[in-house]
């Protein structure tokens, strides 16, 4: 999961050394680019100023510590340990600083630059090394994450949705969607407005929904996760959760006695399957009998600081454990509540601190699409396989420049949309190309590799907006019309994410993109910019710009299209996909074959050797019967 805020263009005051809080080490300051290439000078006519306390001739040596819950890679933060960083390079000449702390006036404006087009000043930067105790334990949780009340009545007739325009964009909320509900009468059982802002949380710890489970009802917060399929809640006390589901107190709970274990990209749990009634206060009216796993043991699943007590898997039953025969939560809801087979998700954390003290909002709309949660058109891409929400990525651009990779690299071995993953995760080759492109096109010439890997944080003065130093990132997806594509773009406010402040002067950020060994995962880093529609009925995932994806009043996400697909392969997804259930079947088959072979060998060893030749005295070669004796004669 992930977050961010808009950088403003224009100038800033000349860079001065960052204030160093007591006990913190020398900060690392990246070297500026040559002024002929990229200028960090102040705007014409503005004088350089020395912030209070920064004009001293030299800075005392100290140690700087990452004292925050940062997130590296894809997971929940931990307190960083003390670590010394390399000394900063010599300060650049402009603006010159005289002994005693006086600042010289800035250089005159660079000739040839249009008025108002001077580059933003590079804010003072420091990188904090998260030590062994820290940043590696960020929210990569399962991180699979989960969900919403209305008056009683029979569901209203679905409102038609107009087919998409030539570019695949759709569609006003009152148009037609192949029989899927888009908006509804507030007096009906599908009151989408009642589901608005039914989520809480943040990208660092996930977005969760309040649910009432059992009889009498027990209120629990459940993490919304489109990357898994089991509905599970804490069934015993745990030091990292504030509440749990006590099955003994529910008169409607029925245990199935089936043990189930689920492993995520980080963390796992083991529990027992059962059934009970569930109510969603800010969702669909009614009580529904749902398969529930009560978690009895877990490892790195419930983490310190999380405010949820279970997980709601919204993917397909193919991923359900212990087998696909376990009916998922949403499948049960579709059957029992008679709602359309579609849900939509909005997460509003753009530009806000990751894992902060407060919570952000969001919406999980069950059964349709709420028009107030998006603006512009909805663009749909087909679901390639119904297990995860697997889509087809055609290419990536950084700052408008194509990475020029084979499109199969982006889909190795799958590309999925997963609300339970904190960051945008990329296959290793794609990740390396993206990092190189961002470093090349950003206004910062040197950056520690630790920032890109997630082990270090980058810190700027709180008055600065670092996002103007970084490029836009665009992801191209295949449209429903396979000869066309569209692109979703995120501005730096979504992938350069605020983590914590140090003292009164510094704000630290993490890199909201990480590498992956087996998938491209569109996680919260991207999803916080969009209203995402999971249209299971028509096997497609839709994206529209989210109104809450704004920072300082400016949007931080974009959707554009259509584009031609003549420059990419007709199919960027491998035709051979080894899904986990297939691997299980293959492994059981091999085990059965080995068992049969072993059984045959044992039987052969136990059968008496009936066909064995029995030797007689005449068969023994000795002096009496050998030719040697006759030859001596």
């Amino acid at each position: 999961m992930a977050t961010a805020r808009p950088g403003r263009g224009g100038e800033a005051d000349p860079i001065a050394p960052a204030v160093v809080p007591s006990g913190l080490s020398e900060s690392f300051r990246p070297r500026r680019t040559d002024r002929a290439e990229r200028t960090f000078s102040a705007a014409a006519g503005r004088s350089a100023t020395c912030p209070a306390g920064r004009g001293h001739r030299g800075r005392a040596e100290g140690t700087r510590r990452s004292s925050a819950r940062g997130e590296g890679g894809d997971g929940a933060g931990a307190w960083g340990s003390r670590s010394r960083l390399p000394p900063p390079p010599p300060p650049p000449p402009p603006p010159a600083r005289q002994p005693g702390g006086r600042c010289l006036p800035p250089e005159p404006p660079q000739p040839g630059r249009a008025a108002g087009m001077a580059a933003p000043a590079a804010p003072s930067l420091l990188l904090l090394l998260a030590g062994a105790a820290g940043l590696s334990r960020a929210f990569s949780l399962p991180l699979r994450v989960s969900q919403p009340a209305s008056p009683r009545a029979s569901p209203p007739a679905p409102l038609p949705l107009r087919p998409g325009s030539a570019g695949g964009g759709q569609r006003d909320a009152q148009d037609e969607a192949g029989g899927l509900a888009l908006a509804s009468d507030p007096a009906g059982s599908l009151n989408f407005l009642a589901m608005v802002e039914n989520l809480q949380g943040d990208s660092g710890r996930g977005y969760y929904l309040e649910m009432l489970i059992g009889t009498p009802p027990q209120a629990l917060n459940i993490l919304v996760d489109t990357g898994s399929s089991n509905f599970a809640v804490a069934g015993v006390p745990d030091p990292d959760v504030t509440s749990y589901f006590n099955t003994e107190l529910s008169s409607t709970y029925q245990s199935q006695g089936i043990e189930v274990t689920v492993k995520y990209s980080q963390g796992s749990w083991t529990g027992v399957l059962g059934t009970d009634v569930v109510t969603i206060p800010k969702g669909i009216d009614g009580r529904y009998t749902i398969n529930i796993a009560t978690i009895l043991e877990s490892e790195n699943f419930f983490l310190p600081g999380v405010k949820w007590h279970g997980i709601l898997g919204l993917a397909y039953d193919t991923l359900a454990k212990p087998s696909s025969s376990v009916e998922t939560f949403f499948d049960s809801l579709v059957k029992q509540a008679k709602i359309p087979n579609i849900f939509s998700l909005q997460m509003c954390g753009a530009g806000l601190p990751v894992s902060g003290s407060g919570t952000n909002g969001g919406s999980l709309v069950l059964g349709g699409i709420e028009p107030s949660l998006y603006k512009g058109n909805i663009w749909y891409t087909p679901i390639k396989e119904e297990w995860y929400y697997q889509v087809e990525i055609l290419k990536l651009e950084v700052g408008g420049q194509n990475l020029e990779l084979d499109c199969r690299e982006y889909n190795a071995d799958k590309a999925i949309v997963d609300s339970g993953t904190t960051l945008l995760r990329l296959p290793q080759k794609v990740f390396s190309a993206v990092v190189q492109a961002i470093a090349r096109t950003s206004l910062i010439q040197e950056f520690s590799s630790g920032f890109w890997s997630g082990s270090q944080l980058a810190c700027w003065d709180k008055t600065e907006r670092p996002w103007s130093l970084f490029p836009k990132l665009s992801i191209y997806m295949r449209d429903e019309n396979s000869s066309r594509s569209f692109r979703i773009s995120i501005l730096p406010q979504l992938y350069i994410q605020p983590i914590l402040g140090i003292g009164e002067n510094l704000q630290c950020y993490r890199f909201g993109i990480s590498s992956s060994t087996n998938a491209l995962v569109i996680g919260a880093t991207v999803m916080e910019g969009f209203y995402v529609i999971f249209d299971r009925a028509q096997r497609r995932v839709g994206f529209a710009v989210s109104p809450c994806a704004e920072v300082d009043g400016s949007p931080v996400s974009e959707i554009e299209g259509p584009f031609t697909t003549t420059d990419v392969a007709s199919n960027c997804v491998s035709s051979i996909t080894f899904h986990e259930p297939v691997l299980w079947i293959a492994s059981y088959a091999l085990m059965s074959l080995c068992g049969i072979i072993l059984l045959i060998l044992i039987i052969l060893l136990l059968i008496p050797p009936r066909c064995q030749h029995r030797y007689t005295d005449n068969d023994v070669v000795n002096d009496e019967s050998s030719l040697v004796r006759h030859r001596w004669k």
Side-chain angles (χ1 to χ4, degrees), residues 371-388:
S372 66
L373 299 181
Y374 72 94
K375 53 187 179 181
N377 291 330
I378 301 174
W379 293 81
Y380 286 98
T381 185
I383 294 175
K384 302 298 291 185
E385 285 288 337
E386 292 178 317
W387 55 325
Y388 298 98

Side-chain angles (χ1 to χ4, degrees), residues 118-206:
S124 52
L125 168 75
L126 74 101
L127 291 173
L128 301 179
L129 177 64
L135 302 175
S136 58
R137 197 191 168 200
F139 233 87
S140 127
L141 210 199
L143 227 168
R144 317 272 181 205
V145 196
S146 312
Q147 338 74 285
S150 332
R152 285 190 173 87
S154 58
L159 295 178
L161 226 195
R162 176 165 41 97
S165 60
Q170 287 206 14
R171 328 330 188 190
D172 286 338
Q174 294 153 2
D175 296 340
E176 182 152 26
L180 297 177
L182 271 204
S184 58
D185 181 354
S189 63
L190 279 180
N191 181 5
F192 296 154
L193 288 175
M195 304 182 200
V196 173
E197 296 186 359
N198 58 4
L199 298 182
Q200 288 185 296
D202 55 54
S203 65
R205 293 170 297 198

Side-chain angles (χ1 to χ4, degrees), residues 96-369:
R97 184 176 296 278
Q98 290 183 335
R102 269 193 314 116
C103 290
L104 293 179
E107 296 182 8
Q110 190 173 346
R113 182 178 294 275
M117 294 299 293
S124 52
L125 168 75
L126 74 101
L127 291 173
L128 301 179
L129 177 64
L135 302 175
S136 58
R137 197 191 168 200
F139 233 87
S140 127
L141 210 199
L143 227 168
R144 317 272 181 205
V145 196
S146 312
Q147 338 74 285
S150 332
R152 285 190 173 87
S154 58
L159 295 178
L161 226 195
R162 176 165 41 97
S165 60
Q170 287 206 14
R171 328 330 188 190
D172 286 338
Q174 294 153 2
D175 296 340
E176 182 152 26
L180 297 177
L182 271 204
S184 58
D185 181 354
S189 63
L190 279 180
N191 181 5
F192 296 154
L193 288 175
M195 304 182 200
V196 173
E197 296 186 359
N198 58 4
L199 298 182
Q200 288 185 296
D202 55 54
S203 65
R205 293 170 297 198
Y207 288 82
Y208 54 85
L209 170 74
E210 183 186 29
M211 301 180 74
L212 304 178
I213 306 174
T215 306
Q218 301 176 42
L220 297 173
N221 294 330
I222 308 299
L223 192 66
V224 177
D225 179 23
T226 63
S228 67
S229 300
N230 283 84
F231 177 33
V233 296
V236 292
D238 186 283
D240 292 324
V241 296
T242 58
S243 185
Y244 70 97
F245 176 52
N246 189 337
T247 58
E248 295 182 357
L249 299 180
S250 175
S251 60
T252 49
Y253 174 79
Q254 293 184 353
S255 174
Q256 298 178 9
I258 301 174
E259 183 177 288
V260 57
T261 297
V262 178
K263 296 181 179 180
Y264 303 90
S265 57
Q266 178 178 313
S268 63
W269 55 261
T270 298
V272 177
L273 281 179
T275 61
D276 209 334
V277 294
V278 174
T279 302
I280 308 171
K282 293 185 177 181
I284 298 173
D285 186 52
R287 284 159 49 101
Y288 306 99
T289 302
I290 304 293
N291 288 314
I292 303 175
T294 51
I295 300 174
L296 305 180
E297 298 177 4
S298 65
E299 182 178 357
N300 294 329
F301 181 72
F302 298 112
L303 298 176
V306 299
K307 298 180 181 180
W308 42 266
H309 317 111
I311 185 169
L312 177 59
L314 291 173
Y316 292 96
D317 57 12
T318 307
L319 299 179
K321 307 297 180 186
S323 72
S324 58
S325 62
V326 177
E327 188 173 77
T328 66
F329 173 93
F330 194 68
D331 284 338
S332 297
L333 205 60
V334 169
K335 291 180 180 179
Q336 297 177 39
K338 309 298 183 185
I339 64 172
N341 194 11
I342 179 176
F343 66 91
S344 49
L345 183 61
Q346 179 195 58
M347 301 185 293
C348 296
L352 301 175
V354 175
S355 302
S357 56
T359 58
N360 311 326
S363 304
L364 175 65
V365 178
L366 300 169
I369 302 170

